[in-house]
Amino acid sequence: MSSQDPSRHHRTGTSRAHARRPEAPSAGPLRGVAGTEGTRPASDAPPAGPAGTRPGVPLTATPPAERARTVREDRAEAERRQVRPAAEGWEQQTTAEGRPLLQFRSPRVSQPPVHLADLSLAERQERLVGLGQPAFRAKQLSTHYFTHWTTDPERMSDLPAAVRTQLTETLMPPLLTEVKRLTTDDGRTIKFLWRLFDGSLVESVLMRYPGRITLCVSSQCGCGMNCPFCATGQAGLTRNMSAAEILDQVVQANRVIAEGGLGGQRHPDERVHNIVFMGMGEPLANYKRLMTAVRRMVAPAPEGLGMSARAITISTVGLVPAIDKLAAEDLPVTFALSLHAPDDELRDDLIPVNSRWKVDEAIDAAHRYYVKTGRRVSIEYALIKDMNDHAWRADLLAKKLNARGRGWVHVNPIPLNPTPGSIWTSSDPDVTAAFVDRLEAAGVPTTLRDTRGKEIDGACGQLAASE
């Protein structure tokens, strides 16, 4: 899981100092032990230019002292090792052929009870009429849940006392029970551990930034994508979350904010502004329930939360058919592709779904999303020391993105936690700066991500939902 707000960055330019100074603790750690070293893939490696050159900068335009320095840097870069992805401290589930196991379908297990949030306003009205109540009770109950953030019948004074408990028990069954709450950043970041009706555990992370509040939500119990760096996927996929379980994370976060539980409160009417589907699970693998939840988020009160679709970010590791389906939904949500490598040789091992849809197929789908919606796409790229942070990979990424046009995409390199002794550790600051510099020199808008929550295991790849 990545508990980070794509709308909150600090700008990095060509100055290396800028690329070195994340405003908040960096994301990670991602799990692992010693990896194996390999070589640069010949197929995707860009052709080498003259030593001492940078993308878009002619050799003759480079001052001699600068040229000599970059020659030394390029030689050191060429000699850097290649660490290969490997599960660390756990064993990846594999197929009979030895490939990482992918789970696109939820196991057949019992489902949570139907909740008001699973239903449209018309469906709620129909349900209430079936209970012998007038249809207008649907708006009353919906207002309590989506506007006042409550399921407590004692607070519903506009309902007849004789039916309050019956109606809340029937249409608002308990979905998420708080197990644990951890805070950091002076109370401005909270990680919640929730227990669902069947005992499954999920996590969400609430973050206050200047001018906005972001909630990172989960969409599945576990994850079936089996990425070796992600704590969420280590136990595989337990089940899909219901639309109401997804939404209840937002409602309960809003209740915490209203009660003054999030540090830095400015006024009592604050609420979650931004939603990022970067929590536990692969959102697009739970497509139907995901879209029901998103439509409920943007529906005006009392049918839904009345949020802006543009403030909702849906992230995926690259389920190409679902990306195309999302583009056709006519909802201006923000789309993020978790790429993490521009070459198939590395990404096949780093993101196992790449064995199904290759790098260029995923990027093509992201570009089609932009063409269809007009919404700029984000490319998420977690920088991992000596694994995917090589300068030639920055050049290759820029080449592939620019080949599809300019102005359609923005790259967010994500700094990981420094984790000594692990292959899943942060890139050196100068390597991070060089990676960003090369992307920007090629004309690719790039912003080093501001991440939160590493101290409470709430950052990128850390959500494991354990007590």
Side-chain angles (χ1 to χ4, degrees), residues 273-295:
H273 301 100
N274 293 351
I275 300 291
V276 292
F277 280 91
M278 297 182 180
M280 297 176 64
E282 162 55 53
L284 295 188
N286 187 16
Y287 191 87
K288 181 179 178 181
R289 296 167 184 83
L290 166 75
M291 294 314 303
T292 298
V294 169
R295 291 193 181 280

Side-chain angles (χ1 to χ4, degrees), residues 323 334-337 339 359-380 396-411 442-445:
I323 296 171
T334 300
F335 173 71
L337 174 63
L339 192 66
V359 168
D360 284 320
E361 292 176 275
I363 296 177
D364 281 341
H367 184 255
R368 289 194 296 273
Y369 184 89
Y370 165 77
V371 171
K372 178 71 175 178
T373 67
R375 298 283 292 155
R376 188 172 69 165
V377 169
S378 293
I379 299 291
E380 308 298 305
L396 179 59
L397 176 59
K399 178 183 177 182
K400 290 193 171 191
L401 298 180
N402 287 336
R404 284 132 175 115
R406 301 292 180 110
W408 70 276
V409 69
H410 185 279
V411 175
V444 178

Side-chain angles (χ1 to χ4, degrees), residues 73-358:
E73 291 177 349
D74 288 346
R75 285 174 179 166
E77 168 70 19
E79 293 170 359
R80 268 209 303 140
R81 65 176 184 157
Q82 171 67 66
V83 173
R84 302 300 305 178
E88 189 171 52
W90 62 289
E91 186 174 344
Q92 268 185 303
Q93 299 181 62
T94 58
T95 65
E97 295 76 30
R99 290 293 306 162
L101 178 67
L102 294 169
Q103 296 173 271
F104 293 102
R105 293 179 179 271
S106 174
R108 290 185 175 274
V109 294
S110 58
Q111 297 299 307
V114 175
H115 186 280
L116 171 152
D118 289 310
L119 308 173
S120 68
L121 185 58
E123 290 169 331
R124 295 168 209 164
Q125 291 170 339
E126 183 179 345
R127 182 69 62 92
L128 282 158
V129 169
L131 293 171
Q133 296 295 315
F136 67 80
R137 294 269 184 254
K139 286 190 176 181
Q140 291 176 310
L141 286 165
S142 300
T143 298
H144 285 296
Y145 184 70
F146 285 118
T147 304
H148 304 313
W149 332 121
T150 187
T151 59
D152 181 1
E154 297 304 315
R155 298 183 59 186
M156 303 180 185
S157 57
D158 57 339
L159 298 178
V163 297
R164 289 178 199 167
T165 300
Q166 177 201 4
L167 294 182
T168 54
E169 287 179 351
T170 302
L171 287 172
M172 300 180 185
L175 295 176
L176 275 62
T177 301
E178 185 177 334
V179 176
K180 185 165 56 178
R181 183 186 306 190
L182 299 175
T183 63
T184 188
D185 302 321
D186 295 323
R188 287 174 167 80
T189 300
I190 303 174
K191 183 177 79 167
F192 298 98
L193 176 65
W194 308 105
R195 178 175 285 109
L196 308 185
F197 85 102
D198 57 356
S200 297
L201 298 172
V202 297
E203 293 177 330
S204 52
V205 184
L206 182 63
M207 298 159 283
R208 179 186 296 279
Y209 293 90
R212 57 172 53 80
I213 297 172
T214 295
L215 182 68
C216 180
V217 298
S218 294
S219 56
Q220 295 181 305
C221 304
C223 184
M225 298 299 101
N226 207 3
C227 300
F229 57 82
C230 184
T232 301
Q234 293 182 11
L237 176 63
T238 300
R239 68 170 174 87
N240 287 327
M241 295 176 68
S242 69
E245 287 173 327
I246 295 170
L247 286 159
D248 205 42
Q249 296 171 85
V250 188
V251 170
Q252 296 221 37
N254 281 333
R255 185 183 306 149
V256 169
I257 295 166
E259 293 170 350
L262 182 65
Q265 184 176 27
R266 294 184 178 181
H267 57 80
D269 296 327
E270 290 179 320
R271 60 181 228 167
V272 172
H273 301 100
N274 293 351
I275 300 291
V276 292
F277 280 91
M278 297 182 180
M280 297 176 64
E282 162 55 53
L284 295 188
N286 187 16
Y287 191 87
K288 181 179 178 181
R289 296 167 184 83
L290 166 75
M291 294 314 303
T292 298
V294 169
R295 291 193 181 280
R296 209 73 74 232
M297 289 173 182
V298 302
E303 180 160 6
L305 289 163
M307 300 183 69
S308 167
R310 295 174 182 271
I312 299 171
T313 298
I314 297 175
S315 176
T316 178
V317 292
L319 278 61
V320 168
I323 296 171
D324 290 331
K325 197 172 178 181
L326 180 65
E329 290 285 354
D330 195 28
L331 278 173
V333 297
T334 300
F335 173 71
L337 174 63
S338 293
L339 192 66
H340 305 310
D343 56 300
D344 287 322
E345 182 177 4
L346 176 58
R347 197 170 191 264
D348 278 350
D349 294 331
L350 191 60
I351 308 291
V353 80
N354 202 70
S355 63
R356 185 72 63 92
W357 298 286
K358 296 299 184 182

